[in-house]
Structure formats: C-alpha cells, structure tokens
Amino acid sequence: MSTISAVTGKVLAVSMLAGIGPATLRKIASLQGFQLSDVESLGLQVPALARALASPLAWEIAKELAEKQVDLATTHQARIISALDPDYPHLLKATKDDPFLLFVKGSLFTAPSQSVAIIGTRQPTKHGELIARRVTEFFVEQNWSVVSGLALGCDGIAHKAALEARGHTVAVMAHGLQTVAPSQHRKLAEAILASGGALVSEYRFGQGALPMQFVKRDRTQAGLAQGVVMIQSDIKGGSLHASRAALDYERWLAVPFPTDADLAANEPKIQANLLIADSGADIERATLLKCHRSRLAKIIVLRTKEDYREMVSVTFDDNVVAEAGAAVDEDLSQTYGIRKREETEISLLITSEEVALDQDQLEVDASTQKTVDRDLLDHESSPEQARQVDKETSAPQAVTEVGVVEPASVPSKKSKAKSKKKAAPKSELTVQQSLL
C-alpha cells in the first residue's frame, strides 16, 4: 500500500516551503485545479506562496524534503494523509483547526463517528483509575474506538483498558512518529499497533516534542472524537485543553463526579471536576473552560453508571460527519479569511497557555538527536516554574458578557488614576474571577 496519494504528495511538498503554515496550505489546496496546476501558477493566486517560491531552488528543495518524509514513512511502516484524502477522519475534518496533514501508523477507525477521547491527569486517585477503566470498558462494549494521548496516568490506563477489552484505540502523539514519548509507553504503543489500533501525529518525521505541540495534540484528540471524558484534573491540568476543545467544537464533555473519599481528602486532582459539575457556578465554569455559557449545556456529569448512556445517546452518524467534512472542503476558499482569523485566535490561545516544562519530565534521546523522549506528563510544572509562569502571565483578566476570560491590557498610570475616581459597577459580568 502506498504511503501517500499523489495529491497529498503535492500538499506535503508545498508544506515544506518556508513561510507556508496550515492556513495558507488550506487556501492553496482549495484552489480550483490544485492537483493539475504547476506551483508557479498557484503562486500567482496566493502571495504567500509566491514569496516562498522567490528563493532559487525553493521548490526543488521542498520536493526533496517531501520525498524524505515519504521515505521515512515507508521505513516506519506509516502513511501520510491529507484532508483531501477520503480516509482522513471526518470528525477531525469538521473542526475549524484540523491538521491538514496527518502521519499515521496502524489502522484508523472503521466507524469514524463512534469514537471517544478519554483523558485525564497523570496522577489519578484510586477512584480515578477505576473510573478510567470502567468508562473505557463501557465504550468498547458499544464498539466505540478510544482516543487518548499515550501519556502516563489516565491516558495509559484508557489505552490499556481498551486493549484488555479487545477494543480499538488510537494514540495521538505530540511529535514525529520516529519515536514514542514517554519512553515507558513504547511497549504500549507496540501493543496498540499489534491490536489493530493506530498512532497518529500531525508532526513530520524527525520533529521532537515542544510544549505548544502538546496543547495542539490535545485539541486534535477532541477533534477525532464525538466527545471527551475528562477522568480527573486539577484547575490547571493539561487535560483541560482537550476539554475546552470539545466544547469549542460543539461536542460533549463528560466529567465523573468525585467520590466522598476524594472529597473528604480534598484531592487536588478532582478540583476541576468539582467545579465543572457545579451547575450553580456558570461564570466560573465558563471561565475555566474558556467557552460561551451556552456551551455548558454540553457537559455531562457522571454520578453513576446509569449516566454513561447519555454519552452515546446523541451522536453524529457517518453520513452527517461526511457531509460536514465535504461542506468544509467546499467552503475553504470562500471562508478562508474567517478560518485564518479563527486559527490565529487559537494560536494566541495556545501560546498563552501555561505550558512551562518540568525538567524532570524530559530526557534526551541520543538516537533521535535530542528528540524529547518523554511526555510533558499532563503539562504540569514544578512549584518554582509555576510561580514563574504566574508572574509572567499575571496580566489582568476580565470576564466578558459571554463568560469567557479575555486578556485585559495593563492600565497606564493615567488610567489607574481615572479608575480610582470612577469605580466599576459590581455586576457579575464585570467582576474578575480568580480560580487560583
């Protein structure tokens, strides 16, 4: 089986040009006659492509780099697909920031509409471990695929439980498929492939792990699924990235309610669950999840096993998903300006996230020339790093009328003086919310 189609080969080569990002790549690929047109003709319609081609031999070099990626895909028994290929996951294609290229090892979904992302902290409580297994087993019984991120903790538990129940599972990676991170899960990755599952990445071969890539990886997990089950998380946990993405994509988010024992112990890893489950704290919930308060209706609180059925009661069927993906294709050129703005907003969101690295969570893999070989383990920082992040991200934030936190500019001395004269009204929509 070929590792790449002809049209995706051209997409891959264009992506290798300097200055061509995902949004520009989508615009280029949406041009009429893309597959048959030479790249110089396409450049006449897209200024960014023309600039990328201005350097001598730029296109030849890009094609050589693309060929190397195809060779590496063959070596690693992987394939490369784009949003122009029929086997590109339709649920992911229907999102506004889907990766235009995917690198895949193994077998993707047989029923793309029946997939769930099960994620959570790397340090779950005993109850968290139990629920991760129970929820995974439930979805396997329903013949759903289980998507997760191969991280330690809840991710690993979900993958292992899916394998033990003889289900299908997909691991989304935050780096190239030439390695597996964390290294402790190499055997698990091999087991996923051996069972008929898949390893997926939007990052080319040779790409190591960077903090922002883990955030984007989490969004991709949500994009591949009907909904997200966040087993456990603290208020600043990395699991919140996928949870926010689920609501951003207008999909459901399920959170198990903590046990009495975890509540009594005031476990830090249940604090996000506790807040998200609190129907009387909509502003705080919307602030934590960075969503419009209307999206909170998509939240499912799992208090007993009887609540599990709600997660599979309303789903997109394959035809609807396929139509959504086709609609995205048809509208690419017309809505490019809108999509580009949305992607810019998402990029700003990602760069503002607290993704400081814990040096204990990284190790150098000499065989891949310093490729990061361990996961960021739920993106949590050491106390010293957290204090530094807090210091660097302590700009004032205000709650908008839709319940979303937006950065507020730092007031000047003059504006501070004016604010003293005129106090802000004590409306719930203007009160700054602090979840720290």
Side-chain angles (χ1 to χ4, degrees), residues 4 9 44 65 71 79 140 148 152 155 173 189 218 227 229 266 270 272 276 291 295 317 330 365 411 419 422:
I4 193 167
L44 296 175
L65 291 173
D71 289 343
R79 67 188 190 279
V140 171
S148 201
L152 300 182
D155 289 24
M173 320 293 277
D218 291 348
V229 183
N266 197 29
I270 67 167
I276 293 170
C291 68
R295 300 283 174 90
D317 64 35
E330 185 178 347
D365 186 340
S419 65
K422 185 177 180 180

Side-chain angles (χ1 to χ4, degrees), residues 58-133:
W59 181 234
E60 295 303 316
I61 293 172
K63 288 193 291 184
E64 288 180 9
L65 291 173
E67 288 172 6
K68 288 181 180 178
Q69 288 294 310
V70 174
D71 289 343
L72 285 166
T74 301
T75 299
H76 289 277
Q77 298 181 310
R79 67 188 190 279
I80 306 170
I81 60 176
S82 75
L84 302 178
D85 290 319
D87 55 342
Y88 188 94
H90 290 130
L91 277 170
L92 184 59
K93 192 174 184 177
T95 66
K96 57 191 174 187
D97 59 334
D98 58 301
F100 206 72
L101 286 164
L102 281 180
F103 298 78
V104 182
K105 290 181 72 171
S107 303
L108 287 172
F109 320 96
T110 54
S113 67
Q114 293 182 323
S115 57
V116 59
I118 300 178
I119 50 93
T121 176
R122 64 185 173 97
Q123 297 173 325
T125 66
K126 291 296 183 183
H127 178 248
E129 294 177 8
L130 177 63
I131 292 300
R133 291 191 185 94

Side-chain angles (χ1 to χ4, degrees), residues 13 139 170 182 195 207 298 346 369 377:
F139 279 103
V170 174
S195 73
Q207 176 66 54
K298 298 281 188 179
I346 289 166
Q369 297 181 342
L377 306 179

Side-chain angles (χ1 to χ4, degrees), residues 152-192:
L152 300 182
C154 291
D155 289 24
I157 292 169
H159 288 305
K160 290 173 185 175
L163 295 177
E164 290 167 2
R166 299 189 178 184
H168 181 269
T169 185
V170 174
V172 186
M173 320 293 277
H175 48 72
L177 296 181
Q178 78 283 347
T179 190
V180 171
S183 56
Q184 297 97 310
H185 278 171
R186 284 177 179 161
K187 289 184 182 281
L188 177 56
E190 292 171 2
I192 289 172

Side-chain angles (χ1 to χ4, degrees), residues 3 69 82 94 109 111 130 152 165 170-171 182 198 200 218 220 230 236 341 349 377 402 431:
T3 60
Q69 288 294 310
S82 75
F109 320 96
L130 177 63
L152 300 182
V170 174
V200 177
D218 291 348
T220 298
M230 187 191 75
K236 289 187 177 181
R341 185 177 69 248
L349 170 64
L377 306 179
V402 295
V431 175

Side-chain angles (χ1 to χ4, degrees), residues 337-403:
I338 296 173
R339 288 181 63 115
K340 185 173 183 181
R341 185 177 69 248
E342 290 172 336
E343 287 163 4
T344 300
E345 291 170 351
I346 289 166
S347 176
L348 291 173
L349 170 64
I350 290 174
T351 56
S352 69
E353 294 291 353
E354 297 177 347
V355 289
L357 294 177
D358 184 336
Q359 295 304 315
D360 292 336
Q361 297 170 0
L362 304 177
E363 68 182 20
V364 175
D365 186 340
S367 65
T368 55
Q369 297 181 342
K370 294 185 179 181
T371 297
V372 176
D373 190 42
R374 292 189 68 192
D375 203 330
L376 295 187
L377 306 179
D378 215 14
H379 327 303
E380 296 171 6
S381 306
S382 65
E384 293 78 10
Q385 289 171 318
R387 284 194 290 272
Q388 180 63 24
V389 171
D390 289 340
K391 182 178 179 182
E392 293 174 356
T393 60
S394 58
Q397 294 181 321
V399 178
T400 68
E401 63 180 15
V402 295

